[in-house]
Amino acid sequence: MPSSKPFVDPATGALDRQQLLLEAVPLAKLVGLFVAISLVPFALAVLAFGSSPLAAILTTLGQFVLAVGAGIVIIYAVARGETLASD
């Protein structure tokens, strides 16, 4: 028996927009979480410390948070994709 494709309505063959939204919203929330966390050191670096060495450290910290967040988002997307493919 052929397996059904994720995000495709088996009856019509069209995209299942409901399932797309159900998968996109948690992913968008995860991305938004890491962006919000990284905004704190970036905002402090720009608004409070200008061009001091502490601003460079805070900028590096913000970039680190974004890099780790990107990795976590990719791991989540791959794990969720494997789950959807096996169902």
Side-chain angles (χ1 to χ4, degrees):
M1 174 160 63
S3 63
S4 65
K5 296 179 182 177
F7 308 116
V8 175
D9 187 9
T12 63
L15 284 177
D16 186 3
R17 294 178 192 264
Q18 179 78 19
Q19 187 180 9
L20 278 171
L21 284 176
L22 287 175
E23 296 299 328
V25 169
L27 190 62
K29 286 181 181 179
L30 189 59
V31 169
L33 172 71
F34 283 105
V35 168
I37 291 171
S38 71
L39 280 179
V40 173
F42 283 135
L44 283 174
V46 171
L47 300 175
F49 297 107
S51 61
S52 68
L54 186 56
I57 293 171
L58 287 172
T59 302
T60 304
L61 177 66
Q63 291 175 352
F64 179 75
V65 169
L66 286 177
V68 169
I72 290 173
V73 167
I74 290 171
I75 290 171
Y76 172 80
V78 168
R80 189 65 188 140
E82 287 180 356
T83 303
L84 287 173
S86 68
D87 287 347

